[in-house]
Amino acid sequence: MQERTIPGGQELLTLFGSMEERFEDEKRVFCAAVRESLAGSGEVSRRAIIFCIIGEMETSTDPLRLDVLRSCLEILVSIDFEPDAL
């Protein structure tokens, strides 16, 4: 399976920005992951976001932060993107 990257990542920022208000912490994590990916390669993919979140999970010791990061992973894998969207 080939993963398509999205130059600029604006589509993802828009998607994450439109999430419900109760997901404010998750929105911040997603937006930071997209920005980090863009800063590194100029492109973003679902895989890059997952790796960014997992990397943060490996270094975090705050149980509340870990819960938000876990929630982010659950949301990300449950989002039904079009086959070539990410």
Side-chain angles (χ1 to χ4, degrees):
M1 180 170 95
Q2 188 174 18
E3 186 167 54
R4 182 178 153 252
T5 57
I6 302 173
Q10 189 58 43
E11 297 165 21
L12 287 175
L13 289 173
T14 301
L15 173 69
F16 296 140
S18 67
M19 292 172 65
E20 294 178 31
E21 192 174 298
R22 66 186 170 123
F23 294 111
E24 284 301 315
D25 292 333
E26 288 83 354
K27 282 187 209 182
R28 284 191 283 277
V29 170
F30 284 132
C31 291
V34 169
R35 287 188 197 100
E36 183 178 317
S37 181
L38 289 172
S41 66
E43 300 177 327
V44 67
S45 67
R46 183 191 303 225
R47 181 180 301 161
I49 295 170
I50 290 171
F51 286 152
C52 180
I53 293 170
I54 290 173
E56 190 170 341
M57 289 177 88
E58 290 176 342
T59 60
S60 181
T61 57
D62 178 10
L64 296 175
R65 181 69 174 168
L66 289 169
D67 189 48
V68 169
L69 295 169
R70 180 192 51 77
S71 176
C72 287
L73 288 176
E74 290 174 357
I75 291 167
L76 188 60
V77 298
S78 71
I79 295 173
D80 186 25
F81 293 107
E82 293 179 21
D84 60 341
L86 287 178

